[in-house]
Amino acid sequence: ATEILRMATERPLQARLDPKAHMVIRDGSYVSTTKNPQFSIVIDGEQLHPGWFVIEVEIFGKGMAFAPVLYVEHRAEWSRFSTYHLKPMGEGRFEAIGLIEDEVLRLRLDPADCEGAFGIKTFSLRQVGLVGSFRRAYRVDRKAARAALLQIKTHKSIKQFARDLAGILNYHGP
């Protein structure tokens, strides 16, 4: 029963961005001092677990090109990690929907690959279920999502179904 509930529900995480490397705060803005500004994502309370997630961020700044990337550390010292490029949604908004299959040790968000001043207007991280992920994949590519659903009969594997959905939802970056 717990597994079925987890597959169907969505829950927001109490996540915040903490400037980590190559940034200073000046006049209320973040200022990247190199081409590799980084935030740690700190989660208070219940953590991000293996499964589906949605991350959204709204960034603003003049003269900067934003291409945010989420890094998920699975093994100590970043010896094993996953990356998720956030897709531009317009007007400084970016989003990624992803599937994490391993333990989560730490999270990092790199908002840009250039120097400059910028701000974060909104940031959210949510754990989502398989049902919500299917709905999102169906909106992206109905034919592929339907084919993935029909493949459950062949594979008899929810894991393979989830991987098929992840392939539909994955944004490979600019």
Side-chain angles (χ1 to χ4, degrees):
T2 304
E3 183 65 22
I4 291 171
L5 185 61
R6 196 169 66 87
M7 288 173 59
T9 59
E10 186 169 310
R11 70 182 166 82
L13 299 170
Q14 300 303 312
R16 59 186 158 77
L17 296 173
D18 187 26
K20 177 182 176 185
H22 314 290
M23 273 194 281
V24 295
I25 299 173
R26 188 177 304 137
D27 298 327
S29 292
Y30 298 107
V31 178
S32 171
T33 58
T34 70
K35 293 181 179 185
N36 191 23
Q38 301 172 4
F39 288 100
S40 288
I41 298 176
V42 179
I43 301 174
D44 299 319
E46 191 169 354
Q47 299 297 303
L48 181 63
H49 299 289
W52 289 95
F53 71 89
V54 175
I55 182 172
E56 297 171 314
V57 64
E58 189 173 348
I59 309 171
F60 61 92
K62 292 184 180 179
M64 289 187 72
F66 299 104
V69 179
L70 172 68
Y71 292 88
V72 179
E73 181 182 24
H74 303 293
R75 302 284 180 268
E77 303 300 318
W78 297 95
S79 62
R80 185 157 185 283
F81 63 92
S82 301
T83 59
Y84 302 88
H85 294 268
L86 280 68
K87 183 177 182 177
M89 306 303 286
E91 299 183 18
R93 293 178 298 118
F94 297 86
E95 174 185 87
I97 302 162
L99 175 64
I100 298 173
E101 297 190 67
D102 275 333
E103 177 184 6
V104 177
L105 297 182
R106 285 187 288 184
L107 301 168
R108 186 179 98 201
L109 180 70
D110 293 9
D113 55 6
C114 59
E115 295 179 29
F118 65 95
I120 304 290
K121 188 171 183 180
T122 61
F123 170 74
S124 71
L125 180 62
R126 296 186 310 278
Q127 191 94 52
V128 297
L130 183 61
V131 173
S133 299
F134 175 75
R135 276 195 331 265
R136 288 172 172 89
Y138 190 79
R139 281 187 289 219
V140 170
D141 186 338
R142 288 179 181 202
K143 185 176 178 182
R146 208 173 333 194
L149 186 59
L150 292 173
Q151 285 296 319
I152 288 178
K153 292 178 186 176
T154 306
H155 298 304
K156 296 186 169 96
S157 167
I158 292 294
K159 276 190 173 185
Q160 185 57 49
F161 175 57
R163 287 181 185 135
D164 290 345
L165 294 180
I168 295 167
L169 293 168
N170 188 27
Y171 173 66
H172 296 285

